Amino acid sequence: MVIVDCIVSGRIYWRGELVDAAIAIDDGKIFDVGLEVNLPKADRYYRFQDKIILPGLIDVHVHLRDQELSYKETFESGTMAAAAGGFTTVLDMPNNSPLTDSPSRFIDRVNLAKGRIYVNVGFYSLLPKCLSEVETIANLGAIGFKVYLNRRYGFLDPSDYDSLKQYLNVCGGIGIPVVFHAEDHSTISKLEDEFRGLSDFRGFMWAHPIEAEFKAVNGVLNIASASNCRVHIAHVTSGLIVDLISKFRGLATCEVTPHHLFLTSDVLHKLGGIAKMEPPLRGIFDVISLWNTVRNGLVDVIADDHAPHSIEEKFGESFWDIKSGIPGLETTLPLMLTAVNYGLIGIGDIVKLMSFNPSRIFNIRGKGSIEPGLDADLTIVDLDREWVIDSSKFYSKAKFSPFDGFKVKGIVKATFVNGLMVYDGDEIICKGGEILFGRRIRG
Ligand code: DOR
Ligand code: ZN
């Protein structure tokens, strides 16, 4: 008689609907899904009666830092924050110190993470110095490449769209996706020179207009079409831009952050540097248009752009000196569940935007839904629990948030990674993460 490792029961989001059932888990994988009476016996039972069990959530935009930036975040603190925020997999950005921009640096970073991660982690790389190294890094298991068009990180000059085209030709041939921070460098730097004298938030905001995003996205879409390379546009801030990207279905996808959905640029008055990120918060019309595109199914992914900094780095004499970025791993899901409670989106949209689509876009095998044979990554939520966000309780080292004091409805009750309960709704219990290696899809 088979005895499985554990059984997790509750209201499971299964094949498009919520069903009262149970999941048998064995050896880190989903063994079977069904009524508990029809499942094998188990060593352990976790019963979440009226709670909702979702396929493990995947955050495709996380800066885990570590290395020389360990004072901001480490693999441990970042992946604990992920588990507490309901994420079972995160994809790590390459603007590290040292930059993740060559085969050897990629190997070093992956090796450093081994044995230290509470949830699964996949890694991006910057584009390397030589075109020939692109395939080497892809073969080492990069999930994708990240290109910053707003400022220079590494070898690529962000204004050099001709070189970019050569790289995208290679990436298109290999079948590896390329993620873009799409704000046009030349537009931003001209405006920065113009507004440099304004030391409050307005100078920074005016130097990052929506036109800079529009120009960069347009450029990327043109090059991507010519090179047949799959591109993913990070943190889009307006429905106008989502509309443009959606015309390139099959080639281009996009992501939206909760901060661009739940905050407007007005909060910069009140919160200053705590609400500084790139691209910046926008006005109410952009926010409304963004929600419309989420609701119309044009947005592919919700990702939080978890970008931790020390608290000292979020204050400064001049707004220009303040670091851009906020932690998001522990606020994203509660905010999105609050949107479900308000009827803005459905629970199925959460699964699509935060699990199924991320796994599909980044070719992550074995994740994105609850089915026998897939990895036992599960996010369990209580949709009815009301609470108040308090950044002092974050597992992230970045204990600040523009969402501090927000009343939300919906909380993480438990997070299972590869069959292990890593977070029990109260505490982090154990490490469950594995390193993910990218798969190529040719043609
Ligand atoms: O706000 C941001 N923070 N935007 C970026 O593009 C980079 C990120 C970071 O790494 O801090
Ligand atoms: Zn980022």
Side-chain angles (χ1 to χ4, degrees):
M1 194 178 69
V2 188
I3 298 185
V4 295
D5 290 341
C6 67
I7 286 194
V8 181
S9 56
R11 301 183 67 206
I12 306 171
Y13 188 83
W14 191 53
R15 300 184 179 169
E17 57 185 336
L18 288 172
V19 290
D20 281 316
I23 303 167
I25 293 174
D26 201 49
D27 208 14
K29 306 266 183 226
I30 297 173
F31 180 83
D32 205 355
V33 183
L35 293 178
E36 202 175 306
V37 288
N38 297 331
L39 294 176
K41 295 259 171 296
D43 288 331
R44 296 193 70 162
Y45 289 81
Y46 299 97
R47 295 205 164 88
F48 293 97
Q49 256 57 15
D50 48 351
K51 309 295 178 280
I52 296 176
I53 304 178
L54 306 173
L57 303 185
I58 301 172
D59 191 337
V60 308
H61 194 148
V62 172
H63 300 261
L64 287 176
R65 313 286 197 208
D66 209 282
Q67 295 176 290
E68 287 160 27
L69 300 178
S70 294
Y71 69 95
K72 297 180 196 249
E73 198 79 289
T74 60
F75 288 121
E76 286 90 350
S77 63
T79 56
M80 280 197 261
F87 291 101
T88 54
T89 297
V90 299
L91 303 186
D92 171 65
M93 285 295 168
N95 61 332
N96 300 304
S97 187
L99 297 168
T100 314
D101 63 353
S102 69
S104 66
R105 284 181 169 177
F106 185 85
I107 294 169
D108 288 348
R109 188 158 172 83
V110 172
N111 282 339
L112 256 177
K114 279 187 187 151
R116 296 172 58 196
I117 51 178
Y118 288 77
V119 303
N120 304 308
V121 181
F123 294 85
Y124 294 105
S125 171
L126 290 165
L127 291 172
K129 189 169 181 188
C130 321
L131 284 173
S132 63
E133 288 172 332
V134 169
E135 186 148 17
T136 313
I137 294 176
N139 288 339
L140 287 170
I143 290 284
F145 286 96
K146 173 77 184 277
V147 174
Y148 290 84
L149 293 175
N150 56 329
R151 75 175 66 167
R152 187 170 190 147
Y153 283 112
F155 299 105
L156 187 79
D157 169 356
S159 308
D160 185 358
Y161 284 76
D162 288 334
S163 296
L164 178 61
K165 196 168 179 176
Q166 293 183 358
Y167 279 102
L168 290 207
N169 272 329
V170 177
C171 293
I174 298 172
I176 188 166
V178 183
V179 178
F180 282 88
H181 181 125
E183 287 186 284
D184 181 63
H185 175 71
S186 56
T187 309
I188 297 171
S189 33
K190 255 186 240 136
L191 291 167
E192 276 176 349
D193 291 343
E194 198 177 328
F195 296 122
R196 181 73 57 194
L198 250 183
S199 65
D200 69 16
F201 71 88
R202 289 170 303 166
F204 164 77
M205 226 174 70
W206 295 341
H208 290 261
I210 197 85
E211 289 75 20
E213 248 185 276
F214 207 82
K215 192 164 172 206
V217 169
N218 232 331
V220 169
L221 291 173
N222 283 332
I223 299 176
S225 321
S227 52
N228 200 25
C229 175
R230 274 204 304 120
V231 293
H232 177 78
I233 315 292
H235 40 51
V236 174
T237 65
S238 170
L240 272 177
I241 298 184
V242 178
D243 279 333
L244 171 65
I245 297 167
S246 70
K247 306 263 184 313
F248 290 74
R249 274 225 170 269
L251 190 73
T253 49
C254 72
E255 99 203 2
V256 165
T257 71
H259 46 268
H260 291 117
L261 285 171
F262 286 87
L263 302 172
T264 64
S265 47
D266 288 357
V267 306
L268 281 159
H269 275 288
K270 204 172 125 205
L271 297 179
I274 294 294
K276 183 182 181 187
M277 73 287 290
E278 292 173 46
L281 297 174
R282 303 287 186 207
I284 187 70
F285 293 112
D286 285 319
V287 171
I288 292 171
S289 69
L290 207 51
W291 268 115
N292 285 338
T293 53
V294 170
R295 285 159 55 88
N296 291 339
L298 297 182
V299 169
D300 301 284
V301 172
I302 300 290
D304 62 38
D305 192 2
H306 177 81
H309 295 288
S310 73
I311 190 71
E312 293 78 23
E313 290 171 325
K314 295 302 283 178
F315 291 90
E317 282 283 289
S318 163
F319 204 78
W320 295 108
D321 301 334
I322 296 171
K323 294 277 188 211
S324 293
I326 59 166
L329 283 168
E330 288 159 274
T331 51
T332 292
L333 181 56
L335 288 164
M336 297 313 294
L337 292 175
T338 306
V340 172
N341 272 306
Y342 272 98
L344 282 165
I345 52 173
I347 198 78
D349 295 315
I350 301 269
V351 173
K352 196 176 80 183
L353 293 162
M354 298 174 70
S355 185
F356 181 76
N357 283 352
S359 74
R360 185 179 51 88
I361 293 168
F362 292 96
N363 306 324
I364 301 171
R365 200 202 302 252
K367 306 197 186 294
S369 49
I370 294 174
E371 288 296 339
L374 299 192
D375 298 337
D377 291 349
L378 304 171
T379 302
I380 295 148
V381 300
D382 178 349
L383 202 50
D384 299 320
R385 216 347 244 297
E386 293 184 73
W387 59 290
V388 175
I389 291 176
D390 174 1
S391 62
S392 70
K393 306 233 164 77
F394 285 177
Y395 283 92
S396 169
K397 284 195 180 188
K399 300 198 193 304
F400 63 86
S401 170
F403 296 112
D404 256 330
F406 264 51
K407 281 201 190 110
V408 285
K409 191 169 179 184
I411 200 163
V412 180
K413 286 305 287 180
T415 308
F416 283 75
V417 181
N418 298 307
L420 295 174
M421 186 159 76
V422 168
Y423 177 67
D424 69 358
D426 237 355
E427 278 178 26
I428 298 287
I429 298 166
C430 63
K431 295 191 183 93
E434 285 173 3
I435 301 219
L436 297 182
F437 294 100
R439 281 190 311 135
R440 313 281 78 91
I441 296 201
R442 286 175 193 271

